[in-house]
Amino acid sequence: MDVIVDKLIKEYDEKIILDNISFKAARGKVFGLLGPAGSGKTTLLRIMIGIINQDGGTITFDGKPLSGKIRDRIGYLPEKRGIFQRQTLIDVLTYFGRLKNLSPKKAQIEAIRLLDRFNMIDSMEKPLGLLSKEMQERVQILVSILHDPEILILDEPFQDIHPLNQDVVRKLIYQFREEEKTIIISTHQFNEAEKLCDDILFINRGRIVLKGNLDTLRQKFQSHLILVEAEDNLGSLKGIRGVKKFFAEKQSARLFVDYKLSPQEILSQIISTVNVSRIEIARPNLDDIFFDVINNGK
Amino acid sequence: MRRIYTIAEWEFLRYLKSRSFLLATFISPVVLGVLLIIPSFFYQNSRLTRPQIIGVIEFDSTNYNFALAERFNDSLKTERTSEIRLKKIEADTSSILADFLSRQKGLGFERDSLNDAYNQIKERRKYVFQRPASANRESLLRQTYEQLHQTREARDLAVIEYNRVKSLTDSLIRSAVFKKADDLLTAQEIQGYIVFEPTLFKEGKIEFHSLLPINFFRIDRLKQILQELLVEERMREEGVATTQIQEWLKPIEIQELRLEGSEKIEFNIMVTYLGPIIVVLFLFIGVFTSSGFLFNSLNLEQSNHIIELMISSARSTQVIFGKLIGLGILGLFQVLIWMAITALFVFAKLIPSDEIGFLTIRNGAIFILYFILGYLFFSAVFVSVGFLSSSEDKARHLNQLVRILSVFPIILAILILESPNSFVIRILSFIPLLTPSLMILRTPLGQPPMIDFGISVAIMLFVIILSLAFAVRVFKIGTFDPNQKIRAKEIFSLFRAVNPD
């Protein structure tokens, strides 16, 4: 199911939280919503799932606005997670399955199936409060996929979560992608997004700073970053024409250069300035790209 | 509807199995019962209900003591009155008092013997005087005259001395009797004493002495019986036959009938007054148990973030209404349990069936109606207060205040009993916070006019719809922006645009 967000606006107390946000999360793709903490990612996800209302703009799911039926086809893992403690594992899963409009019997069957798949069947009659924190986290993940959603929305799924469960989440994302479902994840952990996402949207202070296909973006930013290692004083590289940003650490330096210049021209300038022991035109990671974009106002 | 049903079922079962519900259903009534029984137990075992021992001091010879005791025994058999036992108080014959009594006795003998001697001499003189003239008649008459004169003087002196000693002895006895009675009072062996003076019959005046102020409030029965005795005595003096006196003094029996609708029913304080108060208390335990669960449930799910997961699957309105219905049914279930227990007690004859006579089908339906209205209203208030408060603690304190205000009508119970349909009570019945408890209290007491039911239900429904819509809005804002305090401006705008989801 394709999700299209168009010119979304959200204000709190006359302060703009989301400003004209537009993007498309396509089926069979993992869409990454990236940005630092407080940039408006969670608010955007909550609006998408109908928890809170937007002040402007539209969200459509295969061209239709959010409805009860569509909501039933969305799986959601919130950033701040909690679960009932006194009720048994099977009861809690069945309950959330029923809230997603599954019949009681179907919800119970799906719950048992999932518990079996995730090796938790032996604990199904135990109250959740008696399970380990890791198992409780896994139950929260299971709640989001119990009804076999077509859209999976994960808010900071790798934050404060057991490493084993991080792996569970990764596998689920791959599985959902293979099943041609839509996956939207929000994270400030760019390294995870880099491994998982097909398309990304950077937002900062409620505004889009960058969006697009991850590979395309990488291509676009590829020639911009040059890593240099040398015995000499690397500070002299700062004055080379076209160097927009310069970071030096002992014997190495990272140069962000104007993409309009040809890499050969810059490389020859570097080589003529310092005694280079190693030089590399690097693939900028998402951290680099985000940093670059934020600092260049692009 | 399916989601509302799912949430309602979940909440019902979740809290049905909780310790809080079991405590509220089975322990709270026991605690309430104990709290009601303890004062009564203390009352039963207090001086107020223990057999009262009243001392009797008699300075006359009518033996009222005996008559009083008989009368009290009779009244105990026929009336629900605390037992009064009488204890005759007499002076201790201490050595000093014994000396005086012995002296008085001796003087009495002396006086009597002198009086006898005087009478004998008088007879003899009379005989000499009436006998035909004899040689020694004159000397005998002179002799007896001298003897008579001397004996009379001696007798008069003996009488004076006797009276002096008797007065002194009486005074000593009186003082000794009062001292003994006061000692018994101080030792709390008696609760009071009455003093019969010789002038009782003539003046109708009796003294009652006691130590504790409460005893002066409790001698009504004593007064009544003494009054009866005195009247009986006076009638007897007037020659009225005893049977006639008994017939006339037979207590009248007043049948207390109360107009209820077109029927007249016998007044029973338990049925028409205490019963409804107990019902209000129980229904409010039910209302506050369920609405408290709703408040706790939403607060807990907000603090542990489950609510976000729920609202991603159901709308805020569905979540609130699901919980409201589930916990409301739980409240009704609680009431049903209490009704079943009451029925069991009645069946086992632990509660006399006539004492729950006010629980008619009509009244029961009215109680349930106001229970539901009260539950919906207080739930909405609790949710709004909870989510408008800046902290959970403040919310709890505010909710406590609302609870106290809502049971405030129980304080007005006396006023309601006095005039259940007075203007003030009727107006108070239309204030939503007080409506459920006041209408439940008024229903068996005063048969409120139909218009009062109509107005109060209409007001409640209007306020409930408004407050529930408001609660949903407040809940939505409060849940997903808990750091942001809701300001007065926003509250007004919420009231203006009550339009949940």
Side-chain angles (χ1 to χ4, degrees):
Chain A
M1 193 181 278
D2 291 338
V3 182
I4 295 173
V5 173
D6 187 31
K7 295 173 186 165
L8 196 77
I9 293 168
K10 178 70 188 172
E11 292 176 15
Y12 270 138
D13 204 14
E14 293 169 8
K15 185 182 163 193
I16 294 174
I17 304 297
L18 294 172
D19 186 8
N20 220 20
I21 304 288
S22 300
F23 65 88
K24 178 183 175 182
R27 75 180 71 208
K29 297 273 179 69
V30 180
F31 185 85
L33 195 56
L34 312 181
S39 56
K41 302 186 296 293
T42 299
T43 305
L44 177 53
L45 294 185
R46 283 177 176 170
I47 293 172
M48 288 174 71
I49 203 160
I51 291 175
I52 49 179
N53 299 327
Q54 68 265 42
D55 296 314
T58 56
I59 302 170
T60 55
F61 300 80
D62 274 351
K64 292 173 190 161
L66 183 70
S67 63
K69 279 186 181 174
I70 291 172
R71 203 199 283 248
D72 290 341
R73 289 152 73 187
I74 299 174
Y76 177 57
L77 180 69
E79 178 189 5
K80 289 175 180 169
R81 292 173 279 267
I83 201 78
F84 295 107
Q85 295 291 304
R86 289 186 184 165
Q87 287 66 33
T88 63
L89 181 48
I90 184 72
D91 283 349
V92 170
L93 285 177
T94 308
Y95 174 56
F96 281 107
R98 289 178 65 191
L99 282 183
K100 285 293 182 188
N101 222 14
L102 299 183
S103 68
K105 202 166 187 177
K106 171 89 173 151
Q108 199 169 34
I109 290 167
E110 288 302 320
I112 291 169
R113 194 179 59 78
L114 271 185
L115 289 173
D116 188 38
R117 182 178 149 198
F118 287 89
N119 297 321
M120 294 173 78
I121 197 83
D122 293 339
S123 306
M124 67 182 259
E125 295 294 345
K126 283 186 186 166
L128 282 168
L130 297 182
L131 301 183
S132 66
K133 192 169 178 288
E134 182 229 327
M135 283 178 94
Q136 287 188 32
E137 284 171 4
R138 204 174 302 166
V139 175
Q140 289 154 8
I141 297 164
L142 299 191
V143 165
S144 66
I145 58 163
L146 182 83
H147 56 297
D148 191 24
E150 286 184 44
I151 302 168
L152 185 62
I153 297 178
L154 309 171
D155 193 1
E156 296 287 0
F158 304 105
Q159 186 177 285
D160 301 328
I161 198 166
H162 194 277
L164 285 174
N165 287 328
Q166 289 185 11
D167 199 44
V168 168
V169 173
R170 277 184 212 106
K171 284 178 181 164
L172 277 176
I173 291 171
Y174 292 138
Q175 179 207 323
F176 270 64
R177 180 159 57 185
E178 270 178 29
E179 290 171 2
E180 285 289 300
K181 290 174 176 171
T182 313
I183 305 111
I184 300 171
I185 61 168
S186 118
T187 181
H188 65 275
Q189 291 168 290
F190 295 165
N191 57 333
E192 286 291 347
E194 205 164 2
K195 288 178 213 162
L196 296 166
C197 295
D198 300 301
D199 298 315
I200 58 159
L201 174 83
F202 273 120
I203 54 171
N204 189 38
R205 292 177 187 171
R207 290 186 177 180
I208 295 176
V209 290
L210 191 70
K211 69 173 176 181
N213 180 270
L214 187 59
D215 291 334
T216 313
L217 287 172
R218 275 187 185 135
Q219 284 291 324
K220 189 176 170 186
F221 282 83
Q222 191 173 11
S223 58
H224 284 181
L225 180 62
I226 298 172
L227 300 175
V228 181
E229 283 181 17
E231 303 276 314
D232 302 349
N233 179 12
L234 292 166
S236 54
L237 295 175
K238 213 173 176 180
I240 289 175
R241 192 172 74 88
V243 173
K244 301 183 92 174
K245 275 193 298 295
F246 173 83
F247 299 97
E249 293 171 13
K250 292 182 182 174
Q251 302 301 309
S252 68
R254 286 148 64 90
L255 283 71
F256 285 87
V257 295
D258 191 338
Y259 70 93
K260 289 170 189 161
L261 297 173
S262 77
Q264 286 79 3
E265 189 186 334
I266 295 165
L267 285 176
S268 62
Q269 279 193 63
I270 290 168
I271 291 163
S272 62
T273 311
V274 293
N275 191 15
V276 174
S277 59
R278 182 169 167 258
I279 190 162
E280 181 187 341
I281 298 173
R283 270 170 72 93
N285 61 28
L286 283 175
D287 274 325
D288 297 324
I289 295 171
F290 184 70
F291 190 79
D292 188 28
V293 171
I294 291 292
N295 285 286
N296 286 299
K298 289 182 181 177
Chain B
M1 271 314 281
R2 196 162 158 179
R3 278 190 191 83
I4 291 178
Y5 172 75
T6 302
I7 296 169
E9 185 190 346
W10 173 262
E11 295 297 325
F12 177 83
L13 292 172
R14 178 181 166 197
Y15 282 98
L16 180 71
K17 295 172 193 166
S18 71
R19 258 175 287 177
S20 317
F21 178 74
L22 294 176
L23 280 173
T25 309
F26 299 105
I27 305 298
S28 295
V30 172
V31 171
L32 188 69
V34 168
L35 287 177
L36 289 172
I37 288 166
I38 283 176
S40 150
F41 176 78
F42 278 114
Y43 175 78
Q44 293 289 334
N45 290 280
S46 70
R47 287 196 196 96
L48 299 176
T49 49
R50 260 183 275 155
Q52 249 194 311
I53 300 173
I54 301 291
V56 181
I57 299 174
E58 281 187 298
F59 292 123
D60 72 334
S61 52
T62 50
N63 208 5
Y64 269 112
N65 179 25
F66 180 71
L68 258 182
E70 262 195 339
R71 195 57 61 95
F72 274 122
N73 285 338
D74 288 348
S75 72
L76 264 179
K77 286 174 199 163
T78 52
E79 296 168 34
R80 277 187 184 180
T81 178
S82 57
E83 191 181 349
I84 294 182
R85 288 182 196 160
L86 300 175
K87 180 186 175 80
K88 189 167 184 180
I89 302 173
E90 287 172 313
D92 290 329
T93 45
S94 63
S95 58
I96 301 170
L97 197 59
D99 282 353
F100 270 95
L101 281 170
S102 150
R103 203 171 148 206
Q104 187 191 336
K105 202 175 173 185
L107 284 169
F109 282 135
E110 191 185 336
R111 179 201 60 189
D112 293 345
S113 59
L114 281 169
N115 201 38
D116 288 348
Y118 175 80
N119 287 334
Q120 278 172 15
I121 293 166
K122 206 175 165 184
E123 284 300 314
R124 193 171 154 215
R125 187 174 155 72
K126 193 178 170 187
Y127 171 75
V128 171
F129 186 75
Q130 287 173 346
R131 215 174 52 174
S134 63
N136 59 350
R137 184 173 175 262
E138 282 302 314
S139 76
L140 279 172
L141 279 174
R142 204 177 312 118
Q143 191 186 349
T144 51
Y145 176 77
E146 288 296 323
Q147 282 174 344
L148 196 66
H149 186 69
Q150 282 168 9
T151 310
R152 189 174 62 197
E153 258 186 14
R155 186 200 65 181
D156 287 349
L157 283 173
V159 167
I160 290 167
E161 181 61 9
Y162 173 81
N163 285 342
R164 191 185 68 81
V165 172
K166 185 177 183 301
S167 165
L168 200 62
T169 310
D170 283 351
S171 169
L172 277 172
I173 288 172
R174 194 177 177 85
S175 144
V177 170
F178 276 112
K179 187 181 179 307
K180 186 179 178 186
D182 289 342
D183 287 346
L184 289 171
L185 265 186
T186 313
Q188 298 193 3
E189 286 182 31
I190 58 172
Q191 278 72 56
Y193 62 86
I194 43 178
V195 184
F196 294 135
E197 296 286 358
T199 53
L200 164 67
F201 185 71
K202 194 177 165 193
E203 294 179 2
K205 207 170 162 186
I206 292 169
E207 283 178 21
F208 176 73
H209 299 231
S210 185
L211 193 66
L212 299 174
I214 185 74
N215 290 324
F216 293 99
F217 296 107
R218 303 173 54 217
I219 54 165
D220 285 351
R221 187 72 191 120
L222 187 72
K223 279 183 197 168
Q224 194 189 342
I225 289 178
L226 284 169
Q227 178 73 37
E228 283 170 16
L229 279 174
L230 207 61
V231 170
E232 267 181 55
E233 197 63 31
R234 283 171 177 166
M235 285 201 281
R236 240 178 241 116
E237 282 282 310
E238 293 294 322
V240 181
T242 309
T243 49
Q244 188 64 64
I245 295 169
Q246 281 168 352
E247 184 63 30
W248 284 348
L249 288 178
K250 196 176 164 188
I252 55 161
E253 194 179 305
I254 299 178
Q255 197 183 2
E256 297 158 323
L257 295 171
R258 201 169 60 84
L259 188 65
E260 190 173 299
S262 55
E263 280 181 73
K264 284 183 180 172
I265 56 161
E266 197 159 349
F267 176 76
N268 177 328
I269 193 156
M270 180 67 202
V271 173
T272 48
Y273 182 57
L274 295 177
I277 290 180
I278 292 170
V279 167
V280 166
L281 284 173
F282 270 73
L283 289 184
F284 270 77
I285 290 177
V287 165
F288 292 134
T289 303
S290 300
S291 51
F293 282 158
L294 177 70
F295 173 73
N296 289 340
S297 163
L298 287 169
N299 257 294
L300 188 73
E301 284 164 19
Q302 187 196 21
S303 60
N304 64 17
H305 311 294
I306 296 174
I307 203 77
E308 188 168 357
L309 208 54
M310 291 183 67
I311 295 185
S312 71
S313 306
R315 290 186 297 164
S316 308
T317 326
Q318 291 171 326
V319 171
I320 295 264
F321 276 84
K323 284 174 181 286
L324 204 62
I325 291 169
L327 295 172
I329 291 171
L330 187 72
L332 281 175
F333 184 64
Q334 192 176 39
V335 172
L336 278 177
I337 291 174
W338 290 331
M339 283 168 76
I341 292 172
T342 309
L344 214 66
F345 281 1
V346 171
F347 185 71
K349 292 184 177 162
L350 292 169
I351 298 176
S353 58
D354 58 341
E355 294 209 338
I356 54 160
F358 65 97
L359 281 175
T360 58
I361 292 175
R362 179 185 175 276
N363 286 355
I366 291 169
F367 293 167
I368 295 289
L369 170 72
Y370 284 101
F371 169 84
I372 293 169
L373 293 173
Y375 163 70
L376 292 173
F377 174 71
F378 285 109
S379 297
V381 170
F382 287 173
V383 171
S384 303
V385 167
F387 286 93
L388 279 173
S389 307
S390 52
S391 73
E392 208 173 312
D393 274 349
K394 276 186 189 168
R396 283 186 199 285
H397 291 153
L398 279 169
N399 280 349
Q400 289 297 342
L401 184 69
V402 174
R403 285 172 198 224
I404 290 167
L405 287 175
S406 64
V407 288
F408 165 72
I410 287 176
I411 300 165
L412 297 176
I414 293 283
L415 281 179
I416 300 168
L417 180 72
E418 202 174 284
S419 184
N421 294 324
S422 68
F423 179 72
V424 175
I425 296 293
R426 288 184 71 189
I427 293 297
L428 287 174
S429 302
F430 302 144
I431 299 173
L433 191 71
L434 308 176
T435 301
S437 39
L438 273 177
M439 290 307 289
I440 289 172
L441 278 174
R442 283 178 65 196
T443 297
L445 284 176
Q447 286 292 301
M450 278 312 286
I451 185 113
D452 285 19
F453 286 114
I455 294 174
S456 63
V457 170
I459 291 175
M460 282 302 281
L461 285 176
F462 175 73
V463 173
I464 285 166
I465 291 168
L466 202 72
S467 50
L468 278 178
F470 182 72
V472 172
R473 296 288 292 177
V474 168
F475 162 71
K476 213 171 166 185
I477 293 177
T479 303
F480 295 106
D481 201 6
N483 297 326
Q484 186 186 330
K485 282 182 191 168
I486 298 177
R487 290 178 298 198
K489 194 177 81 178
E490 283 165 298
I491 294 174
F492 288 125
S493 68
L494 280 176
F495 268 121
R496 271 205 312 273
V498 175
N499 179 26
D501 282 37

